[in-house]
């Protein structure tokens, strides 16, 4: 006993100043944690401070203690002096262990009691709750200290071991379902559980943590005592270059091996679970019709979709068709469709309102469906700007069954393309920047222009050429790496076009332009164009007091517009870096023409944007003839 | 001679430099094998230019700066090789700066290499929008900010390396203190060097936070001076001085007193902060006293302030009934008694709940049923947490709206208030109609809160939960919660996919639920379009900076009742601020203005950055949920 007292005195004398500093720092840290918990607006229990303190500062304190009590001693080889005394080695080790444990437990108990004192007036603390808290924190401290004490004996390898353990935990957590916060020993002091669980003793976590702590202590004792302590002594020496290199190789190998590991529970493939589902036998299509009365419509629709999908697969030579699911959505307009977010392997989930099947126009839906399928099979390479026009054009061309001059849908699309290129001639450069063109004239008009290009191609060179061109671009499965970049540089649009059609791209485009403008002179189209009239739009920024900026917009009609026409300002705040804008992200402010006297309609968007904002602004008016809003202005601007 | 010394230091740092360069250029390999470079934008490649506080880069740069800083002096001193350098005919300060600048040059050079590499990588993309993002001014400004950050970290590192690994602990404490103080006093943000990398933009101009930069450079300069003192004063002299100090009794007393002094200082500081916090909270109707009492019922254990005994009693006597009704409606299992702390003082919320615990503020005058409804609402949260085995909390980003919606739905069934429920649903329909809110936004609360108010989680969530019960049948809430807790549930799914998977596992279709939810929203907005049209739009912006306040002027676009309408502005320093740190200010209607104008005065010390975000809103009375427009960005000068 006397020997132990001497040892304790020696440790105290050697380390008291560090212990005082450490205790002071830990007290300050705890004070700050407590303060944070007090002033936080959403603190449920002040014990949250103790929880955070336990899992951050107790390990930090234990590292410092381990460093002082073990690492310094063995690194400086001063343990040899103690070993020379008539004291057994195990006594020396146990005194150091006990010293650190008592220090950490004392800090833990003091901070716990302080937190409880602060909270007791608002939160009753039963004996059971107190016992749970004391056991949780004590067992946690025991485990943490045992582990870090053992690490102290690993000497030069302790930092690599920390790195391996840290990396291992991070990797296991990110690649498997391992949840650190719910695993022992961290689960004992987890902030959402430790301050609030007042009824159940986490027995399993206690046992696991005690076993873990005891194993660590055993490792510490083995390292300290084996071969009369020579292992610990050898480990305490600095690493040589060979060891450093080995550690480096091991770390890299570990990272590579971990990268190949994927042990997460897999999500089950997406499936409709309702009984209101029709499944196709000939194609991977399912329709969720939701309401019983929608079943007949769903039956008709699935047959149409089957035909479209089977034929598309054959024509484009698609190797594998993704599962296609369609859900009924009553809140959508019948000409609006949505694609829902799904995991990539789950296929495509679309939504549409097919309630009025008898007069429902299937073609726009089919065009949308084809675009969604191609997006999926090409992993969105279909939207690559220089070739995106064919994604837009082919879907419409396919849906509208190619070149049929007599159909109304065809005429409307041709008319839209005439309107779209009236002010903006379509050069190869414009086609290359297809997203800009889509933004300037609106998606329905860009699709119509692309459609008309393919219609002209069919008229001039036949249907097969359209399919050959489309297949060469849309029938591929583009890789998701640099190979696709190389392929693209070898196969730009003009090269592919000339190779498949035998005509130069720019010459073809100029012929198409001429064809379309000549067609615009035909009586039928010129009358329609005249009926639409000339409309121009203007947007100006009104500087108000301070930073406020109002957006003033104006529509000028050459002909007095009919009552009921909707004119709209489209607007969206933009981030500093440009990207294509999706139609669903844009907000609309509408003006409905009431008086039929004025040639101008104007509106003002007040106070929505400030100086320093970057915004997208566009003006559109509805046109019955064209069947889609006509965009007359589109601009991205920085508000000054 | 100095140049030779500098070259020697550079040579010494070559292994580290190679390591850093390999890490930097490894991005090229990653970009080549994972993704199509011709579709990658400059902002994708150079993530550091993206707006918002990305502490990931901060951690990365700090590690590198510290690796260099810690390799400059400690080893030379430990192995005594520094003596050879000091034996050269060069001043010690020159040795110090030769080392410092060697590390500085390598760090800045590698950083620049990274910026140039990103510029080269972006050249593969020729698309108009994503391919034309590069802006030299932004690139240079970003590099300047990152370079400043690394310089600051290097200076800190040189100082901290004197304490060897203990220096890392000191640094950790320093960072943690900055974050803690910043939370309490937002204006402390100027100390947070990580904010240098937050990349704030005005339009397409990257702003330089000069105040933040100058203060941190100053601190870095002080660190460097301290580093000079610690490293080039012969360390033995310093160590011996300290050793001699400790040998003397008065030295030990002095050391002890210093520590005690620091602790007392911290406690005093803590006391001041708490008092300040209480002062700012003195806006309620009545105050809780120091005395409190506890009372247990079958299902609850209440603690209440003695001076609010009567209010507490009205809750307590009906509490068990509330519990039973709430539990039955949820089809939940019995729980252990719930601790209810009625001593809560909050101007921000009426109640909060967690595992087995509820905190409620009962100071305000309120209808008893409304108070009991709040108790029911919070009880739902406790039961939901237990039924889902904590999964509802783990997937909080996905389930926030559901948790609040469920609590609203059940509590309105326990205490029906048709008028209030109708108003809530009307506000939900108005917001849905005006902002095209979609389910996938609701299912990702961080994305949702970037644009909208969390209030919408309550009313849109309530309608969604109502749709769940219609479509998925009896006991659907409990089934849904228990399904979340199933043992084979995947852990890495997010957003709408989480909900698709959960509904699939409980044999119901999310599509069906959303269809019912949207139909209800559409029906309300069609049926009550006139009422929705009466709800004014409110918009405005920063008008001026007056004294210590930023003045916002807002206008409403249609007539509103003269009395009973309250106007609010919520504000935050950036979109990624926690919901609990969002401030709120009431507005004053300015007299004789047509259209009606409302003035809001936000104290400047709550807006540490010139750029901030605000959200305008109003409510028809204190107890009704407010309507908020979407977040807007503002700037003060």
């Amino acid at each position: 006993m006397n020997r132990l007292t001497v040892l304790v005195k020696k440790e105290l004398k050697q380390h008291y100043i560090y212990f005082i500093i450490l205790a002071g720092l830990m007290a300050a840290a705890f004070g700050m944690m407590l303060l944070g918990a007090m002033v936080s607006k959403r603190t449920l229990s002040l014990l949250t401070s103790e929880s955070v303190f336990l899992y951050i500062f107790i390990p930090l304190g234990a590292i410092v203690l381990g460093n002082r009590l073990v690492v310094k001693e063995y690194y400086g080889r001063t343990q040899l002096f103690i070993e020379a005394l008539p004291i057994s080695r195990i006594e020396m080790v146990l005194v150091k262990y006990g010293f650190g444990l008592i220090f950490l437990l004392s800090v833990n108990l003091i901070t716990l009691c302080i937190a409880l004192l602060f909270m007791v007036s608002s939160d009753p603390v039963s004996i059971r709750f107190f016992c749970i808290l004391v056991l949780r924190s004590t067992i946690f401290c025991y485990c943490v200290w045992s582990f870090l004490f053992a690490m102290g004996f690993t000497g030069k390898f302790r930092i690599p071991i920390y790195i391996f353990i840290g990396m291992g935990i991070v990797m296991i957590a990110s690649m498997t379902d391992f949840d650190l916060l719910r695993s022992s020993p961290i689960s004992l002091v987890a902030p959402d559980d430790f301050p609030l669980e007042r009824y159940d003793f986490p027995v399993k976590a206690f046992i696991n943590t005690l076993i873990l702590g005891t194993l660590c202590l055993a490792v510490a004792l083995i390292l300290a005592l084996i071969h009369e302590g020579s292992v610990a002594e050898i480990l305490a020496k600095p690493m040589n270059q060979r060891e450093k290199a080995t550690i480096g190789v091991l770390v890299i190998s570990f990272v590579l091996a971990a990268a190949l590991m994927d042990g997460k529970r897999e999500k089950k493939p997406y499936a409709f679970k309702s009984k209101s589902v029709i499944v196709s036998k000939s194609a991977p299509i399912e329709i969720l019709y939701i309401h019983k009365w929608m079943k007949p419509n769903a039956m008709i629709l699935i047959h149409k979709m089957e035909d479209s999908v089977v034929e598309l697969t054959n024509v484009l030579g698609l190797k594998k068709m993704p599962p296609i699911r369609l859900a009924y959505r009553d809140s959508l307009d019948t000409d609006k469709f949505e694609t829902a977010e799904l995991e990539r392997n789950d296929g495509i989930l679309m939504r549409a309102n097919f309630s009025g099947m008898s007069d429902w126009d299937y073609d726009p839906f089919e065009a949308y469906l084809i675009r969604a399928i191609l997006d999926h099979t090409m992993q969105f390479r279909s939207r690559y700007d220089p070739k995106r026009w064919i994604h837009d054009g082919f879907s419409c061309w396919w849906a509208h069954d190619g070149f049929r001059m007599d159909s109304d849908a065809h005429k409307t699309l041709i008319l839209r393309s005439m309107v779209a290129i009236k002010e903006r001639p379509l050069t190869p450069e414009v086609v290359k920047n297809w997203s800009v063109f889509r933004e300037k004239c609106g998606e329905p008009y860009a699709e119509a222009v692309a459609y008309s290009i393919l219609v002209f191609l069919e008229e001039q060179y036949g249907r097969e050429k359209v399919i050959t061109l489309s297949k060469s671009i849309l029938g591929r499965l583009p890789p998701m790496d640099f190979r696709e970049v190389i392929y693209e540089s070898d196969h730009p649009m003009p090269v592919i076009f000339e190779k498949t059609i035998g005509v130069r791209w720019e010459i073809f485009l100029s012929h198409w332009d001429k064809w379309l403008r000549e067609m615009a002179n035909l009586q039928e189209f010129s009358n329609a164009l005249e009926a639409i009239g000339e409309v121009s739009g203007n947007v100006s920024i009104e500087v108000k007091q301070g930073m406020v900026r109002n957006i003033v917009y104006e529509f000028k009609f050459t002909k007095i517009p009919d009552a009921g026409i909707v004119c709209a300002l489209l607007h969206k705040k933009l981030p500093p870096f440009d990207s294509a804008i999706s139609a669903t992200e844009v907000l609309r402010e509408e003006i409905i023409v009431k008086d039929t006297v004025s040639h101008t309609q104007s509106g003002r968007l007040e106070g929505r944007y400030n100086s320093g904002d970057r915004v997208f602004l566009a003006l559109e008016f509805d046109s019955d003839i064209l069947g889609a809003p006509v965009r007359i202005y589109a601009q991205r601007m920085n508000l000054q | 001679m100095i140049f030779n010394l500098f070259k020697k230091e550079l040579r010494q740092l070559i292994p580290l430099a190679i390591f850093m360069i390999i890490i930097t250029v490894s991005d090229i390999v990653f970009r080549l094998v994972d993704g199509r470079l011709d579709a990658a934008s400059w902002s994708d490649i150079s993530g550091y230019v993206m707006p918002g506080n990305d502490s990931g880069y901060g951690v990365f740069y700090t590690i590198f700066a510290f690796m260099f800083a810690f390799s400059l002096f400690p080893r030379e001193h430990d192995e005594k090789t520094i003596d050879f350098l000091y034996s050269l005919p060069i001043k010690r300060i020159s040795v110090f700066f030769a080392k410092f600048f060697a590390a500085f040059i390598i760090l800045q050079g590698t950083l620049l290499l990274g910026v140039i590499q990103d510029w080269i990588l972006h050249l593969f993309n020729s698309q108009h929008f994503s391919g034309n993002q590069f802006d030299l001014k932004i690139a240079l400004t970003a590099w300047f900010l990152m370079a400043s950050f690394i310089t600051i970290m290097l200076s800190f590192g040189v100082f901290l390396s004197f304490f060897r690994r203990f220096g890392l602990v000191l640094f950790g404490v320093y960072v943690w203190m900055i974050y803690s103080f910043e939370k309490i006093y937002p204006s402390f943000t100027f100390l947070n060097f990580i904010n240098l990398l937050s990349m704030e933009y005005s339009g397409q101009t990257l702003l330089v936070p000069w105040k933040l930069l100058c203060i941190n450079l100053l601190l870095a300069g002080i660190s460097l001076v301290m580093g000079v003192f610690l490293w080039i004063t012969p360390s033995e002299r310093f160590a011996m001085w300290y050793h001699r100090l400790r040998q003397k009794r008065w030295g030990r007393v002095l050391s002890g007193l210093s520590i005690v002094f620091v602790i007392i200082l911290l406690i005093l500081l803590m006391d001041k902060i708490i008092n300040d916090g209480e002062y700012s909270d003195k806006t309620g109707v009545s105050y809780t006293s120091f005395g409190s009492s506890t009372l247990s019922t079958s299902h609850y254990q209440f603690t209440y302030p003695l001076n609010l005994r009567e209010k507490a009693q009205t809750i307590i006597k009906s509490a068990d009934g509330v519990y039973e009704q709430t539990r039955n409606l949820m089809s939940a299992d019995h729980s252990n008694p719930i601790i209810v702390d009625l001593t809560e003082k909050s101007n921000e919320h009426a109640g909060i709940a967690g595992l087995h615990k509820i905190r409620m503020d009962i100071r305000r005058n309120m209808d008893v049923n409304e108070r009991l409804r709040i108790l029911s609402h919070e009880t739902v949260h406790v039961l939901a947490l237990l039924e889902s085995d904590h999964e509802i909390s783990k997937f909080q980003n996905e389930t926030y709206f559901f948790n609040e919606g469920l609590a609203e739905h059940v509590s309105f069934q326990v205490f029906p208030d048709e008028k209030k429920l109708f108003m809530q649903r009307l506000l939900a329909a108005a917001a849905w109609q005006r902002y095209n809110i979609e389910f996938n936004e609701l299912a990702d609360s961080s994305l949702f809160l970037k644009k909208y108010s969390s209030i919408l989680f309550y009313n849109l969530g309530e309608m969604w939960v109502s749709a769940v019960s219609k479509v998925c049948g009896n006991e659907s809430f409990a089934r849904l919660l228990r399904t979340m807790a199933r043992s084979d549930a995947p852990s890495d799914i997010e957003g709408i996919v989480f909900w698709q998977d959960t509904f699939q596992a409980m044999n119901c279709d999310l599509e069906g639920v959303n269809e019912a939810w949207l139909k209800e929203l559409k029906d309300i907005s069609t049926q009550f379009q006139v009422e929705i049209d009466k709800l004014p739009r409110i918009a405005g912006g920063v008008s001026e900076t007056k004294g210590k306040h930023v003045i916002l002027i807002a206008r409403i676009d249609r007539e509103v009742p003269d009395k009973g309408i309250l106007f609010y502005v919520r504000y935050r320093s950036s979109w990624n601020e926690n919901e609990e740190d969002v401030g709120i200010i009431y507005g004053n209607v300015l007299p004789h203005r047509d259209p009606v104008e409302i003035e809001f005065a936000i104290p400047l010390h709550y807006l540490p950055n010139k750029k901030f975000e605000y959200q305008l809103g109003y409510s028809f009375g204190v107890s009704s949920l407010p309507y908020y427009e979407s977040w807007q960005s503002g700037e003060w000068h």
Side-chain angles (χ1 to χ4, degrees), chain B residues 484-498:
Chain B
M484 288 177 196
R486 69 195 189 279
S487 58
D488 60 345
S491 59
D492 61 339
I493 48 176
E494 294 173 347
I496 192 170
V497 178
F498 166 82

PDB file of all heavy atoms in Angstrom, chain B residues 484-498:
ATOM      1  N   MET B 484     -41.152   2.984 -40.749  1.00  0.00           N
ATOM      2  CA  MET B 484     -39.856   3.675 -40.742  1.00  0.00           C
ATOM      3  C   MET B 484     -38.846   2.911 -39.887  1.00  0.00           C
ATOM      4  O   MET B 484     -37.655   2.917 -40.173  1.00  0.00           O
ATOM      5  CB  MET B 484     -40.004   5.086 -40.147  1.00  0.00           C
ATOM      6  CG  MET B 484     -40.722   6.061 -41.036  1.00  0.00           C
ATOM      7  SD  MET B 484     -40.873   7.631 -40.155  1.00  0.00           S
ATOM      8  CE  MET B 484     -42.132   8.427 -41.135  1.00  0.00           C
ATOM      9  N   ALA B 485     -39.357   2.275 -38.827  1.00  0.00           N
ATOM     10  CA  ALA B 485     -38.459   1.613 -37.870  1.00  0.00           C
ATOM     11  C   ALA B 485     -38.170   0.166 -38.247  1.00  0.00           C
ATOM     12  O   ALA B 485     -37.523  -0.545 -37.481  1.00  0.00           O
ATOM     13  CB  ALA B 485     -39.088   1.663 -36.482  1.00  0.00           C
ATOM     14  N   ARG B 486     -38.623  -0.303 -39.417  1.00  0.00           N
ATOM     15  CA  ARG B 486     -38.419  -1.718 -39.761  1.00  0.00           C
ATOM     16  C   ARG B 486     -36.920  -2.020 -39.878  1.00  0.00           C
ATOM     17  O   ARG B 486     -36.133  -1.156 -40.280  1.00  0.00           O
ATOM     18  CB  ARG B 486     -39.163  -2.062 -41.056  1.00  0.00           C
ATOM     19  CG  ARG B 486     -38.599  -1.439 -42.301  1.00  0.00           C
ATOM     20  CD  ARG B 486     -39.592  -1.541 -43.453  1.00  0.00           C
ATOM     21  NE  ARG B 486     -38.981  -1.133 -44.709  1.00  0.00           N
ATOM     22  CZ  ARG B 486     -38.829   0.117 -45.109  1.00  0.00           C
ATOM     23  NH1 ARG B 486     -39.233   1.111 -44.330  1.00  0.00           N
ATOM     24  NH2 ARG B 486     -38.273   0.390 -46.272  1.00  0.00           N
ATOM     25  N   SER B 487     -36.602  -3.254 -39.569  1.00  0.00           N
ATOM     26  CA  SER B 487     -35.171  -3.593 -39.464  1.00  0.00           C
ATOM     27  C   SER B 487     -34.470  -3.589 -40.822  1.00  0.00           C
ATOM     28  O   SER B 487     -33.263  -3.379 -40.889  1.00  0.00           O
ATOM     29  CB  SER B 487     -35.004  -4.957 -38.799  1.00  0.00           C
ATOM     30  OG  SER B 487     -35.700  -5.915 -39.574  1.00  0.00           O
ATOM     31  N   ASP B 488     -35.196  -3.844 -41.907  1.00  0.00           N
ATOM     32  CA  ASP B 488     -34.530  -3.916 -43.214  1.00  0.00           C
ATOM     33  C   ASP B 488     -34.641  -2.608 -43.993  1.00  0.00           C
ATOM     34  O   ASP B 488     -34.460  -2.594 -45.210  1.00  0.00           O
ATOM     35  CB  ASP B 488     -35.098  -5.070 -44.044  1.00  0.00           C
ATOM     36  CG  ASP B 488     -36.592  -4.909 -44.308  1.00  0.00           C
ATOM     37  OD1 ASP B 488     -37.219  -4.070 -43.621  1.00  0.00           O
ATOM     38  OD2 ASP B 488     -37.116  -5.600 -45.195  1.00  0.00           O
ATOM     39  N   ALA B 489     -34.945  -1.521 -43.299  1.00  0.00           N
ATOM     40  CA  ALA B 489     -35.072  -0.226 -44.005  1.00  0.00           C
ATOM     41  C   ALA B 489     -33.703   0.250 -44.473  1.00  0.00           C
ATOM     42  O   ALA B 489     -32.743   0.206 -43.703  1.00  0.00           O
ATOM     43  CB  ALA B 489     -35.684   0.808 -43.069  1.00  0.00           C
ATOM     44  N   PRO B 490     -33.596   0.690 -45.729  1.00  0.00           N
ATOM     45  CA  PRO B 490     -32.299   1.221 -46.184  1.00  0.00           C
ATOM     46  C   PRO B 490     -31.979   2.531 -45.463  1.00  0.00           C
ATOM     47  O   PRO B 490     -32.883   3.281 -45.116  1.00  0.00           O
ATOM     48  CB  PRO B 490     -32.505   1.448 -47.681  1.00  0.00           C
ATOM     49  CG  PRO B 490     -33.969   1.488 -47.882  1.00  0.00           C
ATOM     50  CD  PRO B 490     -34.613   0.742 -46.770  1.00  0.00           C
ATOM     51  N   SER B 491     -30.691   2.762 -45.259  1.00  0.00           N
ATOM     52  CA  SER B 491     -30.333   3.939 -44.463  1.00  0.00           C
ATOM     53  C   SER B 491     -29.826   5.104 -45.308  1.00  0.00           C
ATOM     54  O   SER B 491     -29.627   6.192 -44.798  1.00  0.00           O
ATOM     55  CB  SER B 491     -29.253   3.560 -43.446  1.00  0.00           C
ATOM     56  OG  SER B 491     -28.134   3.062 -44.143  1.00  0.00           O
ATOM     57  N   ASP B 492     -29.597   4.861 -46.590  1.00  0.00           N
ATOM     58  CA  ASP B 492     -28.965   5.924 -47.388  1.00  0.00           C
ATOM     59  C   ASP B 492     -29.898   6.523 -48.427  1.00  0.00           C
ATOM     60  O   ASP B 492     -29.464   6.950 -49.486  1.00  0.00           O
ATOM     61  CB  ASP B 492     -27.707   5.388 -48.073  1.00  0.00           C
ATOM     62  CG  ASP B 492     -28.016   4.252 -49.024  1.00  0.00           C
ATOM     63  OD1 ASP B 492     -29.081   3.633 -48.851  1.00  0.00           O
ATOM     64  OD2 ASP B 492     -27.210   3.993 -49.933  1.00  0.00           O
ATOM     65  N   ILE B 493     -31.170   6.525 -48.153  1.00  0.00           N
ATOM     66  CA  ILE B 493     -32.084   7.136 -49.120  1.00  0.00           C
ATOM     67  C   ILE B 493     -32.510   8.512 -48.617  1.00  0.00           C
ATOM     68  O   ILE B 493     -32.557   8.748 -47.411  1.00  0.00           O
ATOM     69  CB  ILE B 493     -33.326   6.240 -49.388  1.00  0.00           C
ATOM     70  CG1 ILE B 493     -33.934   5.752 -48.074  1.00  0.00           C
ATOM     71  CG2 ILE B 493     -32.959   5.090 -50.285  1.00  0.00           C
ATOM     72  CD1 ILE B 493     -35.192   4.958 -48.269  1.00  0.00           C
ATOM     73  N   GLU B 494     -32.803   9.372 -49.545  1.00  0.00           N
ATOM     74  CA  GLU B 494     -33.105  10.762 -49.181  1.00  0.00           C
ATOM     75  C   GLU B 494     -34.345  11.260 -49.907  1.00  0.00           C
ATOM     76  O   GLU B 494     -34.724  10.725 -50.945  1.00  0.00           O
ATOM     77  CB  GLU B 494     -31.924  11.664 -49.570  1.00  0.00           C
ATOM     78  CG  GLU B 494     -30.667  11.385 -48.801  1.00  0.00           C
ATOM     79  CD  GLU B 494     -29.483  12.181 -49.320  1.00  0.00           C
ATOM     80  OE1 GLU B 494     -29.585  12.754 -50.416  1.00  0.00           O
ATOM     81  OE2 GLU B 494     -28.470  12.222 -48.614  1.00  0.00           O
ATOM     82  N   GLY B 495     -34.878  12.344 -49.356  1.00  0.00           N
ATOM     83  CA  GLY B 495     -35.950  13.073 -50.020  1.00  0.00           C
ATOM     84  C   GLY B 495     -37.138  12.198 -50.378  1.00  0.00           C
ATOM     85  O   GLY B 495     -37.558  11.333 -49.610  1.00  0.00           O
ATOM     86  N   ILE B 496     -37.635  12.417 -51.569  1.00  0.00           N
ATOM     87  CA  ILE B 496     -38.857  11.716 -52.000  1.00  0.00           C
ATOM     88  C   ILE B 496     -38.637  10.204 -52.060  1.00  0.00           C
ATOM     89  O   ILE B 496     -39.577   9.429 -51.825  1.00  0.00           O
ATOM     90  CB  ILE B 496     -39.336  12.276 -53.372  1.00  0.00           C
ATOM     91  CG1 ILE B 496     -40.735  11.774 -53.695  1.00  0.00           C
ATOM     92  CG2 ILE B 496     -38.379  11.965 -54.466  1.00  0.00           C
ATOM     93  CD1 ILE B 496     -41.365  12.452 -54.882  1.00  0.00           C
ATOM     94  N   VAL B 497     -37.410   9.779 -52.308  1.00  0.00           N
ATOM     95  CA  VAL B 497     -37.135   8.339 -52.397  1.00  0.00           C
ATOM     96  C   VAL B 497     -37.387   7.670 -51.041  1.00  0.00           C
ATOM     97  O   VAL B 497     -37.886   6.549 -50.970  1.00  0.00           O
ATOM     98  CB  VAL B 497     -35.688   8.094 -52.885  1.00  0.00           C
ATOM     99  CG1 VAL B 497     -35.375   6.612 -52.940  1.00  0.00           C
ATOM    100  CG2 VAL B 497     -35.489   8.720 -54.257  1.00  0.00           C
ATOM    101  N   PHE B 498     -37.092   8.384 -49.963  1.00  0.00           N
ATOM    102  CA  PHE B 498     -37.376   7.856 -48.621  1.00  0.00           C
ATOM    103  C   PHE B 498     -38.872   7.560 -48.483  1.00  0.00           C
ATOM    104  O   PHE B 498     -39.273   6.502 -47.999  1.00  0.00           O
ATOM    105  CB  PHE B 498     -36.939   8.884 -47.559  1.00  0.00           C
ATOM    106  CG  PHE B 498     -37.466   8.599 -46.180  1.00  0.00           C
ATOM    107  CD1 PHE B 498     -36.841   7.691 -45.351  1.00  0.00           C
ATOM    108  CD2 PHE B 498     -38.610   9.243 -45.714  1.00  0.00           C
ATOM    109  CE1 PHE B 498     -37.344   7.423 -44.091  1.00  0.00           C
ATOM    110  CE2 PHE B 498     -39.115   8.983 -44.456  1.00  0.00           C
ATOM    111  CZ  PHE B 498     -38.479   8.068 -43.636  1.00  0.00           C
TER     112      PHE B 498
END
